[in-house]
Amino acid sequence: GAVVSQHPSRVICKSGTSVKIECRSLDFQATTMFWYRQFPKQSLMLMATSNEGSKATYEQGVEKDKFLINHASLTLSTLTVTSAHPEDSSFYICSAARGDYEQYFGPGTRLTVT
Amino acid sequence: TQLLEQSPQFLSIQEGENLTVYCNSSSVFSSLQWYRQEPGEGPVLLVTVVTGGEVKKLKRLTFQFGDARKDSSLHITAAQPGDTGLYLCAGGEGKLTFGTGTRLTIIP
């Protein structure tokens, strides 16, 4: 399978600060990447679709000004959580699309906002 | 909105037993994928099925795509503790819709 990395794996930040999470496709070029959020014991919830060279497409209910996505190259997408609050604490996972159907996921980033 | 319901939601069985997990929808999907996720990690792709009626085997795991492409099943034979995890089905092209998940625990 393909390899997708995320950095950092864990981050703790203070309320009101911003946090950037990187997602890298290591062995293939990904025109499209996706960002998900996962709450404990629940399935994945799609937040946004990140397209290389264009603006991200956000799912309904996801604030685009709070969750900034940049897809600057075919191997890197970043998610910045701006002015983070405790309710933003969650497990954030990215994926990179290869072909029409398959997505390969990163290992996730555990964000804790204090 | 396409929804994928998985059943059972939780399953705890003894090592060596067989089990089946179901993934159902009222919508037709062009493809379905199955993933396994362990705590604190991202989902790992197990298989993709694209043809109605298709059956794929991966060692002790057997995946089937329904004839109408609205449902899928995952059957595990002689379950082992290493099979423990969250199993997720997902469907669609490009943007995936994820199932509700089945949390499987295999007791040694």
Side-chain angles (χ1 to χ4, degrees), chain B residues 58-99:
Chain B
L58 183 66
K59 296 184 181 178
R60 294 177 293 100
L61 278 61
T62 302
F63 304 86
Q64 185 164 8
F65 200 10
D67 291 340
R69 290 185 288 130
K70 292 183 178 182
D71 56 88
S72 181
S73 63
L74 158 60
H75 182 79
I76 300 179
T77 303
Q80 298 178 1
D83 297 328
T84 293
L86 176 67
Y87 287 80
L88 296 162
C89 64
E93 284 186 44
K95 190 167 73 171
L96 289 178
T97 297
F98 273 87

Side-chain angles (χ1 to χ4, degrees), chain A residues 24-88:
Chain A
R24 293 183 184 273
S25 172
L26 298 183
D27 55 357
F28 70 97
Q29 293 184 328
T31 305
T32 304
M33 292 185 174
F34 300 89
W35 287 95
Y36 296 84
R37 185 172 180 176
Q38 187 175 33
F39 292 102
K41 302 187 187 301
Q42 293 187 23
S43 187
L44 278 68
M45 181 188 77
L46 179 65
M47 298 175 66
T49 302
S50 172
N51 300 296
E52 188 268 337
S54 64
K55 291 183 178 180
T57 304
Y58 290 82
E59 294 301 298
Q60 191 172 9
V62 178
E63 297 176 61
K64 63 180 181 181
D65 294 329
K66 181 168 186 60
F67 298 100
L68 300 179
I69 292 172
N70 184 276
H71 195 152
S73 75
L74 289 171
T75 59
L76 173 64
S77 176
T78 60
L79 168 68
T80 301
V81 183
T82 62
S83 186
H85 291 284
E87 57 266 30
D88 298 323

Side-chain angles (χ1 to χ4, degrees), chain A residues 10 34 36 38 40-46 49 57 59 91 93 97 99-108 110, chain B residues 9-10 30-31 33 35 37 40-45 47-48 50 86 88 92-96 98-101 103:
Chain A
R10 291 178 178 270
F34 300 89
Y36 296 84
Q38 187 175 33
K41 302 187 187 301
Q42 293 187 23
S43 187
L44 278 68
M45 181 188 77
L46 179 65
T49 302
T57 304
E59 294 301 298
F91 192 52
I93 309 175
D100 292 331
Y101 309 119
E102 297 178 345
Q103 291 185 25
Y104 292 88
F105 286 81
R110 173 76 57 195
Chain B
Q9 187 178 358
F10 299 95
S30 55
S31 69
Q33 293 84 49
Y35 294 84
Q37 184 182 22
E41 299 181 10
V44 174
L45 178 66
V47 77
T48 299
V50 297
L86 176 67
L88 296 162
E93 284 186 44
K95 190 167 73 171
L96 289 178
F98 273 87
T100 47
R103 191 164 296 279

